[in-house]
Amino acid sequence: MQEDRLYHDPELADFYDLENGWSRSPDFAYCLSLAKDAASVLDLGCGTGELAVALAEGRTVVGVDPAPAMLEIARAKPGTAEFIEGDARTLRLGRRFDLVLLTGHAFQVFLTPEDRRAALATIAAHLAPRGRFLFDSRNPACREWEEWGPQESLRTVEHPRFGAVSAWNDVSEDPATGIVTYGTHYEIQATGKRLSAASRIAFPEKAELEALMAEAGLRVDRWLGDWEGNEWRAGAKELIPLGSLV
């Protein structure tokens, strides 16, 4: 898996929190509620650590991410969360947690069934006997990437150092593999400097996820279709399994 500049380049990583509005994010709120009874949480693909920091009050939280630029931002935030550089496909901490999370659609960076199988094995290896896990992936049937073109995505980001920054995305799909490549572009209005990255993500089907989780020894207790907690149904935008060890 190639390094994605969107997360590994410090200049691009600096835009991550500005673009994500954590306090208004329904997945953020859902995870905070889910963790109420958990004494320990493992946050895989923790990014800049915003969720891990919020969860760390009153419990043990470990955030793991493969991108040093993201972890540098995370470690600068106040709080008691521990941050570790690591790959969710190969990570083995020798510890188990009451709750294991892999959110922000980070599961979709695993482009092959083998990668997804490895990530799910990592979840199982770190889950306490009565613990729960949760991850999210976009429903491929909704073809959400078709809404990510330059016109639909054009926006202005206010950066604390650069001022107004024009931002947009472009997108293409490989019909043979189903892998979607989307570009993220920032142009600093005051200087014209442009920062760009290309990211590749997969859109696995629900049936594949079900088979891979069963193979990993994971049981799904509920399938959610959105972050408001509604049950999954055909046409729901999200595939969100909430479950435990078999």
Side-chain angles (χ1 to χ4, degrees), residues 113-136:
E114 292 73 25
D115 286 340
R116 294 188 278 274
R117 180 179 289 111
L120 292 170
T122 294
I123 290 174
H126 292 89
L127 201 57
R130 296 185 179 181
R132 292 191 290 177
F133 73 89
L134 178 87
F135 68 89
D136 60 346

Side-chain angles (χ1 to χ4, degrees), residues 147-157 165-169 185:
E147 305 169 7
W148 299 350
Q151 289 185 325
E152 300 93 336
S153 62
L154 184 62
R155 58 202 181 274
T156 299
V157 179
V165 178
S166 298
W168 67 95
N169 300 96
H185 309 280

Side-chain angles (χ1 to χ4, degrees), residues 31-42 51-62 80-82 98-99:
C31 290
L32 289 177
S33 176
L34 184 65
K36 280 192 296 188
D37 298 325
S40 59
V41 180
L42 175 61
L51 177 60
V53 168
L55 289 170
E57 187 173 347
R59 61 178 63 85
T60 299
V61 175
V62 176
T80 59
E82 177 187 0
D98 296 327
L99 179 62

Side-chain angles (χ1 to χ4, degrees), residues 16-208:
Y16 190 79
D17 285 342
L18 296 176
E19 291 266 55
N20 279 286
W22 298 111
S23 62
R24 304 184 305 276
S25 174
D27 56 340
F28 194 86
Y30 190 92
C31 290
L32 289 177
S33 176
L34 184 65
K36 280 192 296 188
D37 298 325
S40 59
V41 180
L42 175 61
D43 183 9
L44 296 170
C46 68
T48 59
E50 198 75 9
L51 177 60
V53 168
L55 289 170
E57 187 173 347
R59 61 178 63 85
T60 299
V61 175
V62 176
V64 177
D65 200 274
M70 301 291 271
L71 292 174
E72 183 176 354
I73 296 171
R75 289 171 177 143
K77 294 177 179 177
T80 59
E82 177 187 0
F83 292 104
I84 296 172
E85 184 180 337
D87 186 322
R89 295 169 297 177
T90 57
L91 181 78
R92 292 296 184 272
L93 298 177
R95 300 163 63 181
R96 292 186 178 265
F97 297 81
D98 296 327
L99 179 62
V100 178
L101 301 172
L102 177 56
T103 58
H105 301 120
F107 190 81
Q108 291 182 248
V109 306
F110 304 120
L111 301 181
T112 67
E114 292 73 25
D115 286 340
R116 294 188 278 274
R117 180 179 289 111
L120 292 170
T122 294
I123 290 174
H126 292 89
L127 201 57
R130 296 185 179 181
R132 292 191 290 177
F133 73 89
L134 178 87
F135 68 89
D136 60 346
S137 189
R138 298 175 183 89
N139 184 357
C142 294
R143 299 182 66 85
E144 186 180 324
W145 64 87
E146 294 179 347
E147 305 169 7
W148 299 350
Q151 289 185 325
E152 300 93 336
S153 62
L154 184 62
R155 58 202 181 274
T156 299
V157 179
E158 291 294 332
H159 193 282
R161 294 196 312 279
F162 303 139
V165 178
S166 298
W168 67 95
N169 300 96
D170 53 44
V171 65
S172 63
E173 178 206 6
D174 181 347
T177 64
I179 291 173
V180 169
T181 301
Y182 67 93
T184 304
H185 309 280
Y186 298 106
E187 187 172 286
I188 301 168
Q189 294 181 9
T191 65
K193 180 179 179 179
R194 184 177 294 187
L195 302 167
S196 296
S199 305
R200 301 172 71 218
I201 56 174
F203 286 74
E205 299 282 351
K206 182 171 182 282
E208 182 198 315

